[in-house]
Amino acid sequence: MDTVIEASGLEKRFGRVRALDGLDLSVAAGEVHGFLGPNGAGKSTTIRILLGLAKASGGTATLFGRDPWKDAVDLHRRLAYVPGDVSLWPNLSGGEAVDLLARLRGGTADKAGYAARKKRLIEVFQLDPSKKGRAYSKGNRQKVALVAAFVTPADVYILDEPTSGLDPLMEAVFNAEVARVAGEGATVLLSSHILSEVELLCDRVSIIRAGKTVESGTLNDLRHLTRTEIAFSDEGVTEQQLARIPDAHDLHTDNGRVRFTADSDKLAGVLAALAELDTKGLTVAPPSLEELFLRHYGDELAEASAR
């Protein structure tokens, strides 16, 4: 599978501040790739370099095998971008802003097709296109950017915190549009700190911290780093039997339920032991990206809470 986005040893310095410190990123054609990290981790800086809006201080970054700093004009004809904080022309209506952005990408050549796509997107995102940019709330400005991005087909969509300011209903509409363009073969780089959003949409995930990639892979690849929560009824189960459950962590009884966690890559042996115990009411909760995130940032959270 071809690689659409690739960064290797990417560095970016702002004076003495090192925003990126050897970041690696690889996004294959046709995949939805989650780009996870807290504010300040380097997500937006990486995206600015990929868009040709900033020049790397070291390492390499390519989009379709080309240098985004040197070939930004040509590359922008093939991509759509949504920032997390949208600014609009104050005297243009939302519809006019969508039309202008679409014309810049050559998306209005097929007038009938463009009009149909625009009408559908305005309806599903519940956007009033007649309002001036200065009258829009943050959420409605975000809707304008999303409509402008999805109204013209692109080879790659770079989305930087795209659901910022949207309500849950509009987030669901956004999810459906990402699934649609991915189904049509587009590549999506989704930068977010909303873990449930990434978990729902993405084929692969890269987690970054302090300007470096700390983990990258499919959700199943990364889940071996976390522990799965297991619970069952304590009816008829002795302490001696519980002691024989292999690889059980933090085992305890609570309100008639035995609860513990197990490393996800050792789950088969644990479940085999539970089958021998003939356990009742067994529940197994798979680990979430929340756990992956806390694994890498838990020490920072602990430091912050101790202050």
Side-chain angles (χ1 to χ4, degrees):
M1 188 176 291
D2 295 335
T3 300
V4 171
I5 298 172
E6 188 160 21
S8 179
L10 196 62
E11 298 180 0
K12 181 61 180 177
R13 294 181 293 274
F14 297 97
R16 295 182 179 179
V17 177
R18 189 180 291 269
L20 298 177
D21 189 17
L23 181 137
D24 297 318
L25 177 67
S26 180
V27 181
E31 79 171 349
V32 182
H33 194 103
F35 196 35
L36 272 174
N39 293 331
K43 303 188 303 296
S44 293
T45 300
T46 302
I47 286 174
R48 287 179 61 80
I49 291 173
L50 292 173
L51 292 172
L53 301 176
K55 188 175 183 180
S57 304
T60 60
T62 59
L63 197 60
F64 299 108
R66 301 174 68 179
D67 184 340
W69 180 253
K70 296 178 180 178
D71 302 318
V73 174
D74 289 339
L75 289 173
H76 275 241
R77 294 193 180 101
R78 303 182 64 183
L79 65 86
Y81 166 60
V82 177
D85 190 9
V86 176
S87 296
L88 298 175
W89 296 274
N91 292 321
L92 290 184
S93 70
E96 290 169 337
V98 169
D99 290 340
L100 174 58
L101 292 169
R103 284 200 300 271
L104 291 173
R105 290 175 51 212
T108 59
D110 175 15
K111 292 184 179 179
Y114 171 75
R117 293 193 301 270
K118 178 183 174 184
K119 181 176 183 294
R120 184 188 69 82
L121 287 166
I122 284 174
E123 288 176 354
V124 297
F125 278 107
Q126 300 179 11
L127 174 68
D128 182 352
S130 64
K131 285 186 177 181
K132 298 292 187 183
R134 61 174 174 267
Y136 281 129
S137 65
K138 175 177 174 57
N140 280 318
R141 292 197 304 272
Q142 206 69 30
K143 291 179 184 181
V144 171
L146 288 168
V147 171
F150 290 125
V151 75
T152 302
D155 294 324
V156 61
Y157 293 80
I158 297 180
L159 311 174
D160 189 6
E161 305 283 357
T163 59
S164 176
L166 296 185
D167 61 41
L169 178 61
M170 292 299 102
E171 288 179 10
V173 172
F174 165 79
N175 292 347
E177 290 303 311
V178 170
R180 178 184 63 82
V181 299
E184 294 171 355
T187 302
V188 181
L189 178 64
L190 174 60
S191 168
S192 181
H193 63 269
I194 302 175
L195 307 175
S196 59
E197 177 179 77
V198 171
E199 192 165 24
L200 179 64
L201 291 171
C202 296
D203 305 307
R204 296 176 64 243
V205 173
S206 292
I207 302 175
I208 71 168
R209 174 179 185 175
K212 294 181 179 179
T213 303
V214 292
E215 292 290 345
S216 185
T218 66
L219 297 183
N220 285 335
D221 289 338
L222 299 185
R223 279 180 174 142
H224 77 281
L225 301 173
T226 63
R227 290 177 179 170
T228 296
E229 294 184 359
I230 299 171
F232 56 89
S233 171
D234 65 357
E235 181 181 350
V237 182
T238 66
E239 291 187 6
Q240 290 79 9
Q241 289 174 315
L242 294 179
R244 292 198 297 270
I245 298 174
D247 302 306
H249 302 277
D250 306 317
L251 190 148
H252 64 283
T253 302
D254 179 28
N255 293 325
R257 302 278 290 171
V258 176
R259 302 179 186 275
F260 66 95
T261 61
D263 294 336
S264 297
D265 55 350
K266 297 181 179 178
L267 200 55
V270 173
L271 293 178
L274 295 180
E276 292 181 2
L277 293 179
D278 192 24
T279 55
K280 298 177 176 61
L282 177 67
T283 60
V284 179
S288 67
L289 282 176
E290 184 79 36
E291 294 173 81
L292 288 177
F293 197 76
L294 290 175
R295 176 183 174 92
H296 293 292
Y297 295 96
D299 54 345
E300 292 183 0
L301 294 174
E303 290 175 9
S305 62
R307 291 172 187 161

